[in-house]
Amino acid sequence: MKEMKRIEKELRVREEERRNSTAAIGSNYNSVDELLDLLLNEESGSFDVKRQDEVIKLSVSINSSFTSLTDDDYDINEEDDESVNGNESMNSDFDRSNNSINTIQSPIMSTVPSDGSEISEPVNTEILPEVKGQIDYKGLKLPKQPTLPEPTLPPPPPPPVFYPPPIPVLTKKPSQNEPIYESVRLINGINEPSKDTKEVTTSTRMVDKPITFPRVPEKSIITRIIPESPSPVKVEEPTVTENGKEKVDGESEAESDESAAQIRQSQTQSYDLINYANDYFNDIYESNLMDTLKKRPKLIPKSDMIKYTKCNTISNSHIYLYDPDNVQFALNIWKDLQKYLTSTRSGTPFIRSLVTQGLQQEELRDEIYVQILRQLNGNANNNQSLKLISLLQFIMRIFQCSNELKKYLGQFLNKILSSNTDSRIHNHIVNLLKSTTDVWGNRKIVPSLIEINYYFQNTQQLIHHIKLYLLNNSYLLLNIHPVDTYGSLIAKLSLLLKTEFIDDGTWGIYESNSELTEMYYLPKYDHIYDLVSSWERTNEIILQTNPPNLLLVNPKKKLVLKKRLFKGTLPSPSHPLEINLNYLQSIHEIVRLDKYAVTEKIGIALAGIQLQLVHGNYKPELLYRTEDALPPRLLQAKKIDQWIPLLEESHYQITQLKENKFSLQLRYLNCVRKLNFYGTSLFELSYYGYLDYDPHLLLGINATQLLLIQQDLTVLNEFPYEEIQTLQIQDESLVINLSATKFVFKTKFTDDIFTLITSYYPKLKKTETKFSHPLITNSYRSKLLRNLVDSRNLLITNNYLNLDTSTMKSKSRKQYSTYFTYSKTPITHSLLKLNQSEELTALETFKFILNYTQTDGQLKLFLNKLANNNLLNEAYLQLIKQSNSTMPNSNITRKTWSLLNLLANYLLPTNKLIMNYLVSHLKYYSMDSVTVVGDYAKIVMKSLQNTNSHNKLTKTNRKFVPSSTEINFVVQFKSISIKVYLLNNNYYTVELANHYDTVQDVLGILFNYIGLDGQDCRGYGIYETSTLNGSYFENYLVPASSLVDVLSRWETNGSSPNRGNQSAQKSKFVFKKYLNKFLNLNNPIEKELLLQQLLFNIKTHKYPINTNEGEILIALLSQIHIGNYQQMDPGEFPDYCSILSKYFPTNLSVNISYERVSYYHQSLVGSKAEDSYKSIFNLLTCWPLYKGSLFNVVQSFTPSWPRNLWLILDETGIFLLEERTKNVIANYNFTDLLNYIPTTNYLMLIVRNEAKGVKIILHTVESYSITYLIREYIKDT
């Protein structure tokens, strides 16, 4: 007792010291930026106690008049809550998880050391501050506990020192029957193990368990639970009396046993539907006229809301629905369900409407299940019960209910099964329980009418069948079930054929056209009936009735069995069926698809084997179908009369071998295996990059590497899987990241390509999570919770909140929580104290937040409403309030956090207390490793850090409201992707790691993509270019420019590339070289980029070229793209028109003579593409000013000069030329340039001319770009 008194006295002394030291610490931080730096410089995984104490003291020191709440403030008063806002949810720091209460230990438990030492030892003074922080929790007091008696037995020996490996973070959801934390009860001062519990050994050193976030229903009772002890303990469930108070230790043992029996009985009944109704159902009142007039409506008991009723209407949905439209849908569903039960007509329209709404609106699914279960519970009409059970079984195959309702669904069905004596109902429920175990997720498409009629009107018990084709156009007839997927169909086929190789993962089912030439892989987890629904939408399906079969036939499409993965081994000779299937696929790929481009010799040899297998031994009178033996490409080279003798000779030679069927098939497969592209799947795609590839290419995928192939089957590049660092899919783009460069392709087969590559090489599959969730201790989590509550208390005590004193009876915790927890309905007043006009805007802002969480709204209008700091702080408080939702995985929560993320990317709160509250809120929720809320909080925290860093660097906030492009990425929690074009019209999609990434950051990413070295290849930049009425404009972006600000400026000026007005100005980012004094022609990549830039300058009138040079250039380009000149009829020429339109301006094409172009083209016959590229490069670089940057300018002060001029800047000086010619009018060295003054539309140059300066005034919209280049050129002179 003396020791305990001494501990309490020391606790009080330390508390006074802490309070006295807060004022000095708080004076060191006078700005929001300093406070944010302090709060954000902590890692959530490892916690610095001194640093956290400093943050706590800083939060308290902002107002020295801080007063903590009283004990009554933390009482949960249901009546007071309803008087303020009946729709408010409970305070997040208590109902977000049980762990928020778990960290509050009793005085008895606080004496148990964390290192496993015995409880009878003296209290360790090192843990006293931790115990103090958990007991004296701002007024939160626990019920008094019995004091610890003096030990009467000697202490046991100390445990052996043993350090186990760290406990891994468990991602599996803990069992409902296994409590994570258990209460500890001491008997006679010693821990005694219970008979009903297991002992916790002390031979190992205890480690804090990872924190999970179980969700507590809104109206469930929160009981006090304590973390389990590291020493052997007796674990008991907390007993509760009728009035809800916990029993004390002095109660009789019989009463404890009786209470334990009640708890066990309640646990067995925990999944009764009435418990689900108590936790999740709305409060609905009876629509009695007299009670309504007396304003005393009667509440309908929850027990009546789960029983059958004949009422055709309900006043509200059973489960609370956030979207008002969904509530109306629920009311209509109830009306239609009642009509369906009482009607004798077909219910197909109702059933299809029901499953359509369930698939489209996830929020309605539980409501649909509950309505069916209610009408099934206590329904004495067996016909209606059969209808309901059939309907329940059908929708369970289409979409699933939530995990919370699933726990109650099974017990409810078993209850109906045991209480009903009708054999038909009994059989239906048994089939329902069996069939639902085979369901694979939710369907993607609304069921077809064929499926609905088959299920509900199939009185003859007919079975649906479908044809599965082989590649020789034969087929197998397989029966299908509504829950069948393509994977289960392959398993059925494997059982039917009594083989195992089909189900080994290398075979797949494809959807093909009727000619078997175009095939699309169908993932094994997709449902077959989704394909039937898609066929019905296009009116391509025919239902052929042939009892006892119903055959589903599509004349335009077929399901084909095909080998998908080739591991490099031939089938075993002991599996003749596998040999035959591989043989049929090889014939199809060689003869029908011409996939391998076989030579004439190989084609004749393979055709001989095929003829031997089809016709048997050679006979002279045999008639051959050449189109079935040779590919069309070879047949076009000769006439049929010339092919017949060759086929006969090959057939005769194979006959002389005298081999059986399987030996010949193996011989055929051995020959095919030696071909170049055997086992390679080909996909069509388009290349986007700096290389001058044909835009239409093929991507080959095999077991070892990727192949980039031209249309003529020439291999351009090989990418072994070991050299591929990452594989990314961005919309319809496939990005292959190598160590030195990056290849970007565009294709509609991105999903098929990705799944096939990862099947061959699983390491490329993206397995890492976006955020790591380190092990978080209870003490660290309790500190964050304390910070969160302290930050709320600071807002209250500093009188920032707009407290409604007219409705608040007392300062209770539940009434204060209405300012910090989720609200279902609009607020009646602002959260902060605002003036009248700001008050109205704040209410409109909150309504927008509610509406946006239901339907997408205009986000730019929301951001524009935040005109001043008060409204900005109010918006932050409203979003923090709405993010405290008890439904973490719902769409409502995701949209609320997306709005908070958008605001954090734009502006920061200006009030230090609100900033402190925001950071505490984010740090607390970022520990959630169970739901997506933890990831959301981490993303918002990162956005907050980026915005703070940007504001510090620029010393100002953003100038423009975020663009629609940026908003769309931010609200989806994605990195912003922008397209940076090359001068060959290809582009790279760049993901910004930080929304405030500058041009310099993007240049580093582009150098990595292209394979340039930033040290050797300098002088590159990004331009913003635009076209208006056929004219081309460009503006150089300085390295410090923010790309998101440029996007906002485009949208403000009406030049966004996403705008639909074709006459409007279009803008895009272009990567090009601007300083050619750093030109490195020894680098092949830079040389290729320079050649593209010169050709682009010709197209945009920025390179002077005459007619003769143009004709030579067209001939060289034709040799590259068309090939050698082919003799044609007089007056006909190769496709020079496409070359001319791609590389030359319109005015030059008028004077081009195709005859002279063909003459030059004939002289190039036999030359290689590399030689033609060298000739083009030499032709274009013979002009001395080819390195210069060219600008269009207009002058009017020198009458002897032309009005329209070209201004060229290069490393030698400034040149003025006559427009579109090589005639130099004037040139000036940089040493003669005395001054240059840019304005928005003019540029004035002052140059030295003998003894005086001369002013040259030029009209141009690119004056700032010109001056920047001048500054860069003269930097080294």
Side-chain angles (χ1 to χ4, degrees):
M1 294 298 294
K2 293 180 180 180
E3 183 67 18
M4 294 300 296
K5 290 181 179 180
R6 185 186 65 80
I7 292 174
E8 292 178 358
K9 182 178 180 181
E10 187 172 348
L11 289 176
R12 288 193 297 269
V13 172
R14 292 194 178 189
E15 175 65 17
E16 292 177 0
E17 292 177 355
R18 185 179 69 85
R19 292 182 177 178
N20 293 334
S21 62
T22 56
I25 297 177
S27 61
N28 296 330
Y29 303 94
N30 298 322
S31 65
V32 175
D33 291 339
E34 295 178 1
L35 176 63
L36 186 60
D37 288 338
L38 176 63
L39 294 173
L40 295 179
N41 287 334
E42 298 169 359
E43 298 292 338
S44 60
S46 60
F47 183 77
D48 189 350
V49 177
K50 296 181 179 179
R51 190 67 168 171
Q52 180 66 21
D53 289 339
E54 188 177 354
V55 175
I56 297 170
K57 294 175 182 179
L58 171 61
S59 303
V60 178
S61 65
I62 296 178
N63 185 355
S64 59
S65 63
F66 168 82
T67 57
S68 60
L69 301 178
T70 61
D71 299 349
D72 296 334
D73 296 341
Y74 286 89
D75 295 335
I76 301 177
N77 190 338
E78 191 69 21
E79 295 180 359
D80 292 343
D81 175 54
E82 292 180 358
S83 64
V84 179
N85 191 343
N87 294 326
E88 309 287 327
S89 61
M90 299 181 64
N91 198 352
S92 63
D93 46 288
F94 287 94
D95 65 4
R96 286 284 297 177
S97 71
N98 291 338
N99 293 334
S100 59
I101 311 297
N102 295 346
T103 56
I104 304 174
Q105 299 182 358
S106 65
I108 296 178
M109 285 303 300
S110 63
T111 59
V112 180
S114 60
D115 58 356
S117 58
E118 296 301 323
I119 195 171
S120 58
E121 295 179 0
V123 178
N124 189 356
T125 58
E126 294 181 358
I127 66 171
L128 287 180
E130 179 67 25
V131 176
K132 171 185 72 66
Q134 295 179 357
I135 296 176
D136 186 16
Y137 186 59
K138 300 297 179 187
L140 177 60
K141 297 182 179 180
L142 299 175
K144 292 184 178 181
Q145 300 289 339
T147 58
L148 184 67
E150 296 293 336
T152 58
L153 298 177
V161 179
F162 175 71
Y163 299 95
I167 300 177
V169 178
L170 300 177
T171 58
K172 185 178 180 181
K173 191 174 181 178
S175 173
Q176 297 291 336
N177 298 327
E178 182 180 353
I180 300 177
Y181 299 100
E182 298 170 332
S183 61
V184 178
R185 197 170 190 181
L186 301 178
I187 301 179
N188 297 328
I190 306 174
N191 292 334
E192 294 184 3
S194 172
K195 297 179 181 180
D196 299 332
T197 58
K198 296 181 180 180
E199 291 189 355
V200 182
T201 61
T202 59
S203 60
T204 60
R205 186 167 172 259
M206 297 300 294
V207 182
D208 286 326
K209 292 187 175 182
I211 302 300
T212 59
F213 282 71
R215 302 295 166 191
V216 182
E218 184 174 338
K219 296 184 179 180
S220 43
I221 301 175
I222 301 178
T223 57
R224 181 177 61 84
I225 46 182
I226 303 174
E228 50 187 305
S229 172
S231 56
V233 295
K234 179 179 180 181
V235 181
E236 295 181 355
E237 295 291 336
T239 58
V240 182
T241 60
E242 293 180 358
N243 57 4
K245 295 183 179 180
E246 197 173 326
K247 288 179 178 287
V248 296
D249 292 339
E251 292 180 340
S252 64
E253 189 171 344
E255 292 176 344
S256 300
D257 294 339
E258 181 181 356
S259 177
Q262 293 178 356
I263 293 174
R264 287 193 294 271
Q265 182 180 3
S266 64
Q267 288 178 347
T268 59
Q269 298 177 355
S270 60
Y271 294 141
D272 194 350
L273 198 59
I274 185 62
N275 296 333
Y276 180 83
N278 290 331
D279 292 338
Y280 297 99
F281 274 23
N282 283 323
D283 291 335
I284 302 179
Y285 296 87
E286 293 182 357
S287 56
N288 190 304
L289 180 59
M290 294 304 297
D291 292 337
T292 304
L293 294 175
K294 295 179 180 179
K295 297 183 179 180
R296 291 182 302 177
K298 184 178 180 181
L299 184 66
I300 300 177
K302 295 297 189 296
S303 58
D304 293 344
M305 295 176 62
I306 61 172
K307 290 183 180 179
Y308 170 78
T309 178
K310 295 182 179 180
C311 182
N312 293 327
T313 59
I314 53 177
S315 59
N316 197 359
S317 60
H318 294 76
I319 302 173
Y320 177 77
L321 304 176
Y322 290 85
D323 193 342
D325 293 337
N326 288 339
V327 175
Q328 187 60 43
F329 287 150
L331 302 183
N332 296 335
I333 289 173
W334 178 266
K335 294 178 183 179
D336 296 337
L337 179 63
Q338 294 294 80
K339 294 179 182 178
Y340 170 69
L341 294 179
T342 57
S343 175
T344 57
R345 297 181 179 180
S346 172
T348 302
F350 160 70
I351 296 169
R352 189 161 194 180
S353 173
L354 181 70
V355 295
T356 300
Q357 292 177 354
L359 283 176
Q360 294 176 353
Q361 303 292 335
E362 183 180 356
E363 194 182 29
L364 276 175
R365 294 175 184 174
D366 282 0
E367 176 69 20
I368 293 174
Y369 272 87
V370 166
Q371 289 187 12
I372 296 175
L373 296 181
R374 175 180 180 178
Q375 292 302 88
L376 189 59
N377 187 17
N379 195 332
N381 190 325
N382 290 337
N383 292 329
Q384 292 186 6
S385 298
L386 287 174
K387 278 188 173 183
L388 291 167
I389 294 173
S390 300
L391 181 60
L392 179 63
Q393 184 176 6
F394 183 74
I395 66 170
M396 288 181 71
R397 295 169 176 175
I398 307 302
F399 54 82
Q400 303 296 302
C401 60
S402 64
N403 292 330
E404 290 80 5
L405 185 56
K406 277 183 182 178
K407 305 170 187 176
Y408 301 87
L409 182 59
Q411 184 170 343
F412 175 82
L413 293 176
N414 287 322
K415 180 180 178 181
I416 298 296
L417 184 65
S418 60
S419 62
N420 202 299
T421 58
D422 193 308
S423 59
R424 297 177 300 168
I425 296 178
H426 187 277
N427 294 334
H428 272 71
I429 294 180
V430 170
N431 293 333
L432 173 61
L433 294 174
K434 289 181 179 179
S435 62
T436 52
T437 58
D438 301 328
V439 176
W440 290 86
N442 299 323
R443 296 272 288 273
K444 297 180 180 179
I445 305 178
V446 177
S448 62
L449 293 176
I450 292 177
E451 181 182 357
I452 296 175
N453 295 332
Y454 163 70
Y455 184 80
F456 289 95
Q457 301 178 12
N458 188 9
T459 57
Q460 300 178 3
Q461 298 299 319
L462 301 179
I463 301 174
H464 273 179
H465 286 75
I466 199 166
K467 292 180 180 179
L468 182 62
Y469 284 83
L470 305 179
L471 288 174
N472 62 348
N473 223 15
S474 61
Y475 63 86
L476 301 170
L477 203 62
L478 298 177
N479 65 313
I480 57 176
H481 190 268
V483 297
D484 276 345
T485 60
Y486 299 106
S488 63
L489 192 63
I490 290 180
K492 285 183 180 181
L493 181 62
S494 179
L495 293 175
L496 177 65
L497 300 178
K498 298 180 180 180
T499 57
E500 297 180 356
F501 70 89
I502 293 180
D503 200 18
D504 62 357
T506 60
W507 293 81
I509 296 179
Y510 291 75
E511 182 185 11
S512 170
N513 57 0
S514 57
E515 292 81 14
L516 300 180
T517 55
E518 297 180 2
M519 298 187 185
Y520 303 94
Y521 174 67
L522 301 172
K524 64 179 181 179
Y525 293 116
D526 286 357
H527 291 81
I528 298 176
Y529 272 92
D530 280 345
L531 183 64
V532 175
S533 299
S534 64
W535 287 353
E536 186 183 69
R537 288 183 176 182
T538 56
N539 297 323
E540 295 178 349
I541 193 168
I542 299 175
L543 186 62
Q544 297 179 356
T545 305
N546 185 17
N549 299 331
L550 284 175
L551 186 59
L552 300 175
V553 179
N554 187 342
K556 299 181 181 180
K557 299 291 179 64
K558 293 180 180 179
L559 292 183
V560 182
L561 178 68
K562 179 183 173 184
K563 191 175 181 66
R564 178 169 171 262
L565 302 178
F566 295 83
K567 301 298 185 180
T569 58
L570 286 177
S572 172
S574 60
H575 294 82
L577 179 60
E578 184 178 6
I579 295 173
N580 189 36
L581 291 177
N582 280 274
Y583 166 74
L584 294 177
Q585 184 164 337
S586 297
I587 289 179
H588 179 78
E589 292 175 345
I590 291 175
V591 179
R592 298 290 298 277
L593 304 181
D594 195 15
K595 175 181 176 181
Y596 304 120
V598 294
T599 62
E600 179 180 333
K601 182 179 179 180
I602 296 176
I604 290 295
L606 294 176
I609 301 175
Q610 182 182 351
L611 293 173
Q612 178 68 22
L613 290 169
V614 174
H615 301 287
N617 293 334
Y618 170 75
K619 297 177 183 179
E621 62 273 12
L622 287 176
L623 298 177
Y624 297 120
R625 290 175 54 89
T626 55
E627 61 272 16
D628 293 339
L630 295 173
R633 177 181 50 84
L634 291 180
L635 291 177
Q636 294 175 359
K638 294 181 180 180
K639 296 181 180 180
I640 297 179
D641 296 341
Q642 296 175 337
W643 286 112
I644 296 298
L646 298 176
L647 294 177
E648 289 179 347
E649 182 181 357
S650 178
H651 189 184
Y652 176 77
Q653 292 177 357
I654 297 299
T655 302
Q656 299 303 315
L657 297 177
K658 298 180 181 180
E659 295 182 354
N660 60 21
K661 174 182 177 181
F662 298 113
S663 298
L664 289 174
Q665 288 179 342
L666 282 175
R667 179 183 293 274
Y668 192 97
L669 292 177
N670 275 319
C671 294
V672 175
R673 186 183 179 189
K674 297 177 182 178
L675 299 177
N676 289 336
F677 301 117
Y678 172 76
T680 302
S681 301
L682 302 179
F683 298 90
E684 295 181 355
L685 44 73
S686 300
Y687 169 73
Y688 285 81
Y690 70 93
L691 295 175
D692 194 14
Y693 285 159
D694 189 331
H696 303 293
L697 300 174
L698 297 175
L699 181 68
I701 304 174
N702 57 33
T704 58
Q705 61 185 353
L706 302 181
L707 303 173
L708 192 59
I709 308 168
Q710 287 183 342
Q711 292 291 337
D712 59 356
L713 300 183
T714 302
V715 178
L716 296 175
N717 266 316
E718 297 179 355
F719 310 114
Y721 292 135
E722 293 78 9
E723 297 180 3
I724 300 176
Q725 294 183 345
T726 58
L727 196 68
Q728 300 175 353
I729 292 179
Q730 302 170 355
D731 298 330
E732 292 187 353
S733 299
L734 176 70
V735 183
I736 300 175
N737 292 320
L738 303 178
S739 57
T741 184
K742 173 179 287 192
F743 286 85
V744 180
F745 306 97
K746 190 170 184 179
T747 176
K748 60 181 179 180
F749 305 106
T750 51
D751 293 335
D752 295 345
I753 291 174
F754 185 80
T755 54
L756 186 58
I757 292 175
T758 52
S759 298
Y760 280 125
Y761 198 71
K763 291 183 179 179
L764 291 176
K765 189 178 295 184
K766 197 173 183 180
T767 55
E768 68 274 5
T769 56
K770 192 168 187 179
F771 294 100
S772 58
H773 297 283
L775 186 67
I776 300 174
T777 61
N778 287 343
S779 60
Y780 175 60
R781 189 173 187 279
S782 67
K783 291 177 185 296
L784 294 185
L785 179 60
R786 185 175 61 198
N787 283 350
L788 183 61
V789 176
D790 285 348
S791 60
R792 293 178 177 178
N793 290 336
L794 287 173
L795 292 173
I796 298 173
T797 55
N798 282 273
N799 297 323
Y800 278 107
L801 297 183
N802 184 19
L803 301 180
D804 189 359
T805 56
S806 61
T807 58
M808 297 186 66
K809 300 178 182 178
S810 62
K811 293 183 179 180
S812 68
R813 167 188 171 273
K814 192 61 180 179
Q815 290 169 336
Y816 279 131
S817 70
T818 60
Y819 290 82
F820 306 114
T821 55
Y822 180 82
S823 175
K824 305 171 186 176
T825 57
I827 56 178
T828 57
H829 56 83
S830 62
L831 302 182
L832 294 176
K833 294 181 179 180
L834 306 174
N835 58 40
Q836 186 175 1
S837 61
E838 293 174 344
E839 176 88 9
L840 296 176
T841 307
L843 297 182
E844 293 178 359
T845 301
F846 194 83
K847 289 180 181 179
F848 173 82
I849 295 175
L850 284 179
N851 293 331
Y852 176 74
T853 54
Q854 298 161 5
T855 58
D856 292 336
Q858 297 180 358
L859 295 176
K860 295 199 72 172
L861 294 178
F862 165 70
L863 297 177
N864 288 327
K865 288 182 180 180
L866 309 179
N868 55 42
N869 294 337
N870 291 336
L871 291 175
L872 178 63
N873 295 329
E874 172 73 17
Y876 266 107
L877 274 186
Q878 291 179 5
L879 288 173
I880 296 173
K881 168 185 171 66
Q882 293 301 98
S883 62
N884 284 320
S885 174
T886 57
M887 298 182 65
N889 293 321
S890 67
N891 191 40
I892 306 297
T893 303
R894 183 188 66 82
K895 288 190 174 183
T896 303
W897 280 95
S898 68
L899 280 179
L900 187 58
N901 186 38
L902 177 61
L903 199 56
N905 272 285
Y906 178 37
L907 295 172
L908 297 180
T910 58
N911 186 283
K912 292 188 291 184
L913 295 183
I914 296 178
M915 174 63 76
N916 183 23
Y917 178 34
L918 174 63
V919 175
S920 301
H921 176 78
L922 296 177
K923 291 176 75 66
Y924 177 76
Y925 280 96
S926 63
M927 294 184 300
D928 188 349
S929 59
V930 178
T931 66
V932 294
V933 170
D935 289 344
Y936 295 160
K938 288 183 175 67
I939 295 174
V940 178
M941 180 72 78
K942 183 179 178 181
S943 301
L944 207 64
Q945 293 172 336
N946 294 338
T947 306
N948 182 56
S949 301
H950 174 267
N951 293 349
K952 276 191 169 184
L953 184 64
T954 60
K955 298 181 181 180
T956 182
N957 293 329
R958 291 184 60 172
K959 298 178 181 179
F960 298 94
V961 177
S963 62
S964 299
T965 302
E966 180 183 357
I967 290 174
N968 292 335
F969 282 107
V970 171
V971 297
Q972 297 178 30
F973 300 100
K974 294 181 180 179
S975 300
I976 296 180
S977 297
I978 61 172
K979 293 180 180 180
V980 181
Y981 285 81
L982 303 178
L983 293 177
N984 60 355
N985 209 29
N986 292 339
Y987 63 85
Y988 286 105
T989 302
V990 180
E991 284 192 2
L992 304 183
N994 181 351
H995 286 201
Y996 294 97
D997 279 349
T998 61
V999 170
Q1000 188 66 38
D1001 300 324
V1002 176
L1003 285 175
I1005 299 174
L1006 289 174
F1007 283 173
N1008 184 29
Y1009 285 4
I1010 299 174
L1012 289 172
D1013 188 355
Q1015 299 296 329
D1016 297 336
C1017 303
R1018 295 181 293 169
Y1020 286 93
I1022 295 179
Y1023 286 75
E1024 53 170 331
T1025 65
S1026 59
T1027 56
L1028 182 62
N1029 299 327
S1031 299
Y1032 178 80
F1033 302 95
E1034 62 182 16
N1035 179 41
Y1036 176 75
L1037 298 176
V1038 297
S1041 300
S1042 176
L1043 294 180
V1044 293
D1045 287 340
V1046 176
L1047 291 175
S1048 301
R1049 176 162 50 81
W1050 287 355
E1051 191 167 278
T1052 303
N1053 298 335
S1055 60
S1056 173
N1058 297 325
R1059 296 177 67 91
N1061 189 2
Q1062 297 298 326
S1063 62
Q1065 185 179 359
K1066 304 294 182 180
S1067 300
K1068 62 181 180 180
F1069 296 109
V1070 174
F1071 174 78
K1072 59 181 290 188
K1073 197 175 186 69
Y1074 71 95
L1075 282 177
N1076 288 313
K1077 68 177 182 179
F1078 301 114
L1079 189 61
N1080 182 12
L1081 296 180
N1082 295 324
N1083 189 316
I1085 298 178
E1086 185 164 8
K1087 190 174 181 180
E1088 176 71 23
L1089 292 174
L1090 177 61
L1091 179 59
Q1092 293 178 8
Q1093 185 163 335
L1094 292 175
L1095 293 174
F1096 180 79
N1097 289 340
I1098 295 175
K1099 178 69 175 178
T1100 55
H1101 298 286
K1102 291 197 172 183
Y1103 186 97
I1105 188 170
N1106 55 37
T1107 304
N1108 187 30
E1109 291 173 341
E1111 291 168 351
I1112 297 174
L1113 188 58
I1114 292 174
L1116 292 171
L1117 292 171
S1118 300
Q1119 182 65 22
I1120 297 173
H1121 296 287
I1122 299 177
N1124 292 329
Y1125 179 82
Q1126 300 293 334
Q1127 192 66 35
M1128 307 185 75
D1129 296 334
E1132 295 184 2
F1133 303 97
D1135 190 13
Y1136 297 141
C1137 185
S1138 61
I1139 303 294
L1140 193 62
S1141 61
K1142 181 178 180 181
Y1143 293 101
F1144 293 89
T1146 307
N1147 64 332
L1148 185 63
S1149 61
V1150 178
N1151 301 323
I1152 295 295
S1153 173
Y1154 285 177
E1155 293 182 0
R1156 288 194 294 269
V1157 172
S1158 64
Y1159 173 76
Y1160 293 131
H1161 192 185
Q1162 292 179 40
S1163 64
L1164 297 173
V1165 172
S1167 62
K1168 297 181 180 180
E1170 293 80 4
D1171 298 332
S1172 299
Y1173 275 121
K1174 291 180 181 178
S1175 300
I1176 294 173
F1177 189 80
N1178 294 332
L1179 176 63
L1180 296 179
T1181 56
C1182 65
W1183 185 40
L1185 298 179
Y1186 78 93
K1187 294 182 180 180
S1189 300
L1190 189 147
F1191 302 91
N1192 292 296
V1193 297
V1194 178
Q1195 71 85 26
S1196 59
F1197 291 89
T1198 305
S1200 60
W1201 290 359
R1203 178 177 174 81
N1204 297 322
L1205 300 175
W1206 274 356
L1207 185 146
I1208 296 180
L1209 298 175
D1210 70 355
E1211 56 188 1
T1212 60
I1214 302 174
F1215 297 84
L1216 292 174
L1217 285 77
E1218 187 178 349
E1219 187 181 24
R1220 299 182 183 181
T1221 66
K1222 296 181 181 180
N1223 303 327
V1224 178
I1225 298 177
N1227 68 297
Y1228 308 96
N1229 295 328
F1230 289 116
T1231 56
D1232 298 332
L1233 184 63
L1234 300 179
N1235 197 2
Y1236 50 93
I1237 302 173
T1239 62
T1240 304
N1241 295 319
Y1242 288 92
L1243 173 66
M1244 184 173 67
L1245 302 176
I1246 303 176
V1247 296
R1248 182 183 293 111
N1249 186 7
E1250 297 179 354
K1252 61 179 181 178
V1254 177
K1255 295 181 181 179
I1256 301 175
I1257 300 177
L1258 304 174
H1259 175 71
T1260 176
V1261 294
E1262 300 174 299
S1263 57
Y1264 290 102
S1265 299
I1266 295 173
T1267 55
Y1268 182 84
L1269 288 178
I1270 293 175
R1271 192 181 305 113
E1272 290 292 324
Y1273 275 119
I1274 66 177
K1275 185 182 297 183
D1276 300 329
T1277 58

